Amino acid sequence: MIEVPTPTVAGLLLRAVPQPVRRDAHAAMHTLAPWGAVSAQLVQDSGGGVADHDVHVDGDPVHIPFRTSFPWPSSAVLARMGTRRRAVVAAWMSRSENAGHRQRAVRDLLGVHEAWVVPFVVAPCGEYVHEIGADVDRFVRTELGRHPALRYAYARFVRDNPRFLATTRHRAVTFRHLDHRWPHRGDPDRTYPQLAALDALSALAYRGGQDHPGDPAPPRVAAAAS
């Protein structure tokens, strides 16, 4: 018999992804250790443990936990999974209490060309691991421009979730002053990588041209086969 997380944990994990992805998420859940945990707090909570606004991906609300606690599944197990199911695992691990797991997960998600992964890439920009902010900033300024449909997915997410972006920016400003590992904390002229990434995302969403909300959207990002 395959062990899976408890029903409460399973429900929290499934609600982290939009409805079209949940079948793959349910299958991917079997790779997680059954003793793992998921916080009830969501990524958009303002500090009091209560979310006062929703996060949407293409109009579909998602309830992404602020933290998860699972060991990373083995490479052998992941190798037997389809592309989307591996992406779902990476999405959950991007909320890990382990900072190294979060960075590894975000780097994996930067190679996934599906709109539902966007909030899992954006949320860590409101946290304190400056290396993740640098990874996202680099991706938005260089690689993302080569993929018009994916670029539009990121731009639309930013425009559709202004309160979440404001909350994320507020957190980044706070961590800019608290991140003792960032070597430029005392230099007021250096932009914190998380803030640089959020600036790049805002420019992507509002600079006009193809990404302007008044222009027609390019074809949706194709769903990866599971």
Side-chain angles (χ1 to χ4, degrees):
M1 181 176 179
I2 300 174
E3 291 185 299
V4 296
T6 66
T8 298
V9 169
L12 292 169
L13 291 173
L14 289 175
R15 288 193 294 273
V17 298
Q19 190 67 44
V21 185
R22 288 182 186 172
R23 181 176 179 180
D24 288 290
H26 190 273
M29 203 178 301
H30 291 275
T31 68
L32 300 177
W35 58 83
V38 180
S39 70
Q41 181 186 10
L42 303 180
V43 292
Q44 72 266 35
D45 288 346
S46 59
V50 177
D52 62 355
H53 62 278
D54 289 331
V55 175
H56 294 86
V57 177
D58 288 342
D60 195 350
V62 290
H63 300 94
I64 299 172
F66 192 77
R67 283 289 177 262
T68 62
S69 177
F70 293 98
W72 200 292
S74 71
S75 297
V77 169
L78 293 174
R80 295 193 294 268
M81 300 170 65
T83 302
R84 178 182 277 183
R85 293 176 186 179
R86 289 197 301 271
V88 170
V89 172
W92 290 330
M93 298 302 288
S94 75
R95 307 311 311 144
S96 174
E97 62 184 9
N98 182 299
H101 288 347
R102 293 201 300 276
Q103 184 176 26
R104 174 183 171 182
V106 170
R107 286 179 171 177
D108 285 351
L109 293 175
L110 295 179
V112 177
H113 293 190
E114 295 195 53
W116 65 269
V117 308
V118 175
F120 295 97
V121 173
V122 176
C125 294
E127 299 169 6
Y128 64 88
V129 182
H130 64 267
E131 293 91 345
I132 299 179
D135 287 341
V136 176
D137 181 42
R138 188 180 308 110
F139 167 74
V140 175
R141 296 180 188 275
T142 58
E143 180 67 21
L144 189 56
R146 303 171 191 169
H147 308 283
L150 186 63
R151 183 177 68 230
Y152 182 84
Y154 274 83
R156 179 176 177 180
F157 177 80
V158 170
R159 293 193 300 266
D160 286 353
N161 297 277
R163 295 183 69 184
F164 177 58
L165 267 292
T167 297
T168 305
R169 173 171 287 278
H170 176 76
R171 290 173 174 161
V173 169
T174 300
F175 280 118
R176 191 251 185 264
H177 299 288
L178 297 177
D179 189 350
H180 294 278
R181 293 181 55 258
W182 188 46
H184 308 292
R185 188 166 64 99
D187 184 352
D189 296 324
R190 295 294 293 263
T191 302
Y192 193 45
Q194 275 81 332
L195 291 170
L198 292 170
D199 288 344
L201 286 165
S202 295
L204 178 75
Y206 296 111
R207 68 188 174 191
Q210 182 176 352
D211 295 314
H212 192 275
D215 292 338
R220 284 183 179 270
V221 180
S226 58

